[in-house]
Amino acid sequence: MDDIDLTSAESKATHKQIQKYVLEKFGFKISTLYIAQVKKKHVVEVSEHFNISKNENRKVP
C-alpha cells in the first residue's frame, strides 16, 4: 500500500461494501443501521445523515 496514494474517502469502506463482505464471508445479511451502530460503538468516524427524524419518541430497531 506504500506505492498507492489513497485519499481518506477512498480508504474507507461504504455500507454496501461492508454488507457485501459480511454476506460473502459469513453468509448473512446485515442492515446499514447495524453497521452505523457498530461504528458509533467503536468510535469510528461516521458521516452525518440528512434524513434525521424530528420525532422525539422515535424507535430504533
Side-chain angles (χ1 to χ4, degrees):
M1 295 260 309
D2 293 335
D3 58 341
I4 300 174
D5 293 329
L6 295 176
T7 64
S8 63
E10 291 172 332
S11 65
K12 296 178 185 176
T14 65
H15 285 209
K16 293 294 181 189
Q17 291 170 329
I18 294 170
Q19 286 175 321
K20 183 179 176 185
Y21 172 79
V22 171
L23 182 61
E24 290 173 357
K25 181 88 173 171
F26 301 104
F28 60 90
K29 294 182 179 182
I30 58 172
S31 71
T32 56
L33 173 64
Y34 181 69
I35 295 168
Q37 288 173 337
V38 170
K39 284 182 174 183
K40 186 175 180 180
K41 179 179 179 182
H42 295 283
V43 194
V44 175
E45 185 177 322
V46 180
S47 62
E48 190 66 33
H49 54 86
F50 300 101
N51 58 348
I52 300 172
S53 173
K54 293 180 178 41
N55 185 354
E56 293 290 326
N57 299 322
R58 65 182 182 256
K59 291 185 179 180
V60 177

